[in-house]
Amino acid sequence: MKRLLPLLTIAFLFAACQQQGHTPKPRGYFRIDLPEKEYRLFDRPGYPYTFEYPVYANVVKDSLFFGEDTENPWWINLEFPEFNGKIYMSYKQVGGKNALDKLVNDAFKLTYKHTYKAESIEEEAITLPGGVSGLFYQVAGNAASAKQFFVTDSSNHFLRGALYFYAQPNADSLAPVTRFVEEDMRHLVNTLKWRPN
């Protein structure tokens, strides 16, 4: 019996070390049902641009920029209430204090201010009929704004857009909605038309 007790103790300890412990499930995210893609025309009188935007978004006039009046009355936000997100769209007329190189440089700075949280920033050239060009930015990682763009005709019009969600930036949990809204941003850009001055 004296020999059996140490052998049983060793066998018990060996068996206990071999047992699988409880493995917690990985963290999951809520399922998001995405609506069908359908677009309508933004064509308000007095605005220097038109474009198509999704029916599940609302166009809201923006009158303040960091607590100050906007530069002109054509700044708008495209709100996505279902996703708690917004595309901030700022329009500027090219010329005078708004020289094209300054506007492009400002758009670059506003995108690259996310560098400290971004894993990478990819730039994709935009070229549309009618001499419209610009850049589409893809900001990877847990940055506050994952998708941004600017487009211009280089002589009169400059439009910048930046997508934000009112949630803690988490690229993994926001990925399905970010990809979904990115399609809408690209559709907006591809259907953009300037009105003559």
Side-chain angles (χ1 to χ4, degrees):
M1 188 68 152
K2 288 183 180 182
R3 290 186 194 169
L4 188 58
L5 187 58
L7 287 175
L8 286 174
T9 304
I10 290 172
F12 177 77
L13 290 173
F14 184 77
C17 291
Q18 298 300 317
Q19 289 182 349
Q20 294 283 333
H22 174 70
T23 304
K25 289 183 180 181
R27 184 174 179 180
Y29 301 106
F30 294 106
R31 177 189 163 116
I32 300 171
D33 292 321
L34 302 171
E36 290 290 320
K37 293 282 186 194
E38 186 179 344
Y39 297 96
R40 60 184 161 199
L41 182 65
F42 176 82
D43 189 13
R44 291 193 186 158
Y47 279 77
Y49 49 79
T50 67
F51 57 82
E52 291 183 5
Y53 69 101
V55 296
Y56 41 84
N58 303 315
V59 175
V60 177
K61 187 174 180 342
D62 193 352
S63 58
L64 293 177
F65 180 67
F66 293 104
E68 309 233 345
D69 289 341
T70 59
E71 183 177 314
N72 60 57
W74 306 302
W75 288 33
I76 59 173
N77 298 323
L78 200 55
E79 296 181 348
F80 295 84
E82 191 174 341
F83 307 136
N84 203 20
K86 189 182 290 190
I87 300 172
Y88 291 89
M89 295 175 52
S90 55
Y91 171 86
K92 297 192 178 204
Q93 292 176 313
V94 177
K97 68 175 184 159
N98 290 328
L100 181 61
D101 59 342
K102 179 188 180 310
L103 294 174
V104 171
N105 193 37
D106 288 349
F108 180 85
K109 284 180 187 174
L110 287 168
T111 299
Y112 279 83
K113 76 176 184 173
H114 298 283
T115 302
Y116 72 98
K117 286 281 190 176
E119 293 172 7
S120 66
I121 299 177
E122 293 180 25
E123 299 176 2
E124 179 185 326
I126 298 170
T127 306
L128 301 171
V132 176
S133 61
L135 286 176
F136 194 93
Y137 296 100
Q138 304 222 37
V139 184
N142 294 329
S145 179
K147 309 293 178 189
Q148 300 185 29
F149 70 86
F150 76 83
V151 285
T152 182
D153 65 355
S154 301
S155 57
N156 296 308
H157 307 283
F158 188 93
L159 183 67
R160 181 180 181 279
L163 172 64
Y164 286 86
F165 291 103
Y166 293 98
Q168 182 174 352
N170 182 324
D172 290 338
S173 66
L174 291 173
V177 177
T178 302
R179 280 192 303 270
F180 185 79
V181 176
E182 177 186 351
E183 289 178 39
D184 297 330
M185 292 176 82
R186 290 180 182 277
H187 186 87
L188 182 156
V189 167
N190 288 327
T191 60
L192 176 71
K193 291 185 175 60
W194 306 118
R195 285 198 170 113
N197 287 353

